[in-house]
Amino acid sequence: MLHTPGLLALFVAKLLSTFGSWLTLLALPWFVLVTTGSPAKMSAVLAVEFLGVATLGLPSGKVVARLGVRRTMLICDAARVPLMALIPLLHQTGWLSLPALLAVSFSLGAFTAPYVSSQRLILADLLGPTRGTDEKLLARANSLIDGATRIAALAGPALGGLLIALLGPAQVLWIDAGTYLVSFVILAAFVRPPATVVAGTESSRASHQQAATFTGIRHALRHRALRLFVLALTLVTISVPAIFICLPVLVMDDLGGDPRTLGLLIAANGAGLAIGSLVAVTGLGRMNNTALTAAAMLQCAPLWLLLVDQTFVMASGLFLVGLATPLLAATINTRVTLRTPAPIRPHVMTAVTTTENLGAFVGYTAAGPALQLSGLRTIFAAIATLAALGAITFAMALRADHSPPAVPRQRPREPRQHRHTSAIHEPAARTERNP
């Protein structure tokens, strides 16, 4: 896979931009909490970014289909450089306010769904029409790129806590702006999927342009396994953001108020994610549904350790959760890609990304007020319960997806001899016009 042109460059770009995002995930809520003292305002600043994703995510499927995955990624990276730099710039000039933070955060979210969807879809393009439809190979490629996120989740929080203590949270945001710029340069120079004949046809262009805004979500809802996978993803993404809302409050109120402790806790989760990504890259292709179900149980069960107010125990629980997460994420991304006809993949993937971020929006929005009403232990118990429901739903999706996918309903009378044109066997159509 590392010899596939563009794949290693995509890994490096993902690693750098995600590293910066983890710095922001620590610095921004810490900045709001220190300056306002309000968990509700802290969660609002983070939640509004996901509101931007939820509001503009579905329509962005048409944008991805029209522009192509590579061009979409370049535009999104270029736009997020000045947006991220605007926060520390306004802070230095004394013009930063809560409404301004909310506006910038919402704008950042507007570019998230098309970028993440394009990043997932470009893997099949980089692998090529034949290798891009190999489920085991695509799952490993997903695991590799996802591994960049996990490695950054290890280094970002640990270094972020130190940088916040040394420089202050506002200054750390300059670094995130720089990582988006470097990512743009790498993508522009080195990530160039090969053109294919399929993508250049007029019928393919027309199918991209005529697909309705809700095409993706309708396809996911009609396909039983995809419907369950998306539901499982939603339940988990409601619970996980709530963890990162609770941790700063926990550290400030119960664990001494040192941002390095916050970095340590999140880095423990990052260590599990990094090791889990290595396991996914090397072994996911050989794992059956039983092994994946066990990984789902491992992803949710250790969350109950968050009820123990000891740093080591909580760090151990977050590590174990991270260990299983890459296996589940790569499985969902791969099966969503291959269980979807190529012409509507941008719409389906943006629908999945939007739903995922809508769940995160609910988690971020609810966590702050819930903390003020119920306290940490109640919220941690709710998080563990939601994650358990997500694991059960994921196991149900695996069982539903055991047999080959059915031909889409809009073509019920397709001759039997053409059954190999279903999503899992058909060549990956190009969505990039001008690589």
Side-chain angles (χ1 to χ4, degrees), residues 155-209:
L159 184 57
L162 179 61
L163 289 175
I164 292 171
L166 292 176
L167 304 176
Q171 300 303 318
V172 171
L173 299 177
W174 285 109
I175 300 175
D176 192 10
T179 60
Y180 283 129
L181 178 59
V182 176
S183 174
F184 172 86
V185 172
I186 292 174
L187 291 174
F190 301 109
V191 180
R192 297 177 176 271
T196 64
V197 177
V198 177
T201 65
E202 291 300 322
S203 60
S204 177
R205 294 169 189 254
S207 65
H208 281 303
Q209 295 173 3

Side-chain angles (χ1 to χ4, degrees), residues 83-110:
L83 281 173
M84 183 57 66
L86 192 58
I87 299 176
L89 181 62
L90 289 175
H91 176 68
Q92 287 182 351
T93 59
W95 287 87
L96 187 62
S97 62
L98 182 60
L101 272 173
L102 294 174
V104 171
S105 188
F106 181 89
S107 300
L108 288 168

Side-chain angles (χ1 to χ4, degrees), residues 387-405:
L389 292 174
I392 293 169
T393 307
F394 178 83
M396 293 170 60
L398 291 174
R399 294 191 62 181
D401 196 47
H402 185 66
S403 57

Side-chain angles (χ1 to χ4, degrees), residues 53-58 60 113 349-359:
V53 178
T55 303
L56 302 175
L58 290 178
S60 71
M349 192 60 77
T350 52
V352 172
T353 303
T354 300
T355 305
E356 179 181 0
N357 283 273
L358 184 59

Side-chain angles (χ1 to χ4, degrees), residues 25 30 35 79 95 166 168 184 222 224 227 233 248 286 289 296 298 305-306 426:
L25 186 61
W30 192 266
T35 55
W95 287 87
L166 292 176
F184 172 86
R222 284 199 301 260
R224 184 169 184 267
R227 183 169 67 247
L233 185 63
R286 298 190 296 272
N289 284 355
L298 180 61
L305 295 177
L306 296 179
E426 70 177 347

Side-chain angles (χ1 to χ4, degrees), residues 30-81:
W30 192 266
F31 173 74
V32 177
L33 191 60
V34 168
T35 55
T36 68
S38 171
K41 290 181 179 179
M42 176 187 67
S43 65
V45 170
L46 293 176
V48 76
E49 180 174 349
F50 295 96
L51 180 62
V53 178
T55 303
L56 302 175
L58 290 178
S60 71
K62 284 191 173 184
V63 175
V64 176
R66 184 179 296 273
L67 296 179
V69 290
R70 178 176 176 271
R71 190 183 299 173
T72 300
M73 293 173 69
L74 289 172
I75 291 172
C76 291
D77 266 344
R80 289 184 291 183
V81 173

Side-chain angles (χ1 to χ4, degrees), residues 231-256:
L231 177 58
L233 185 63
T234 304
L235 290 169
V236 172
T237 52
I238 290 174
S239 60
V240 170
I243 296 175
F244 295 102
I245 289 292
C246 292
L247 288 181
V249 178
L250 174 73
V251 171
M252 185 165 287
D253 292 348
D254 300 334
L255 299 179

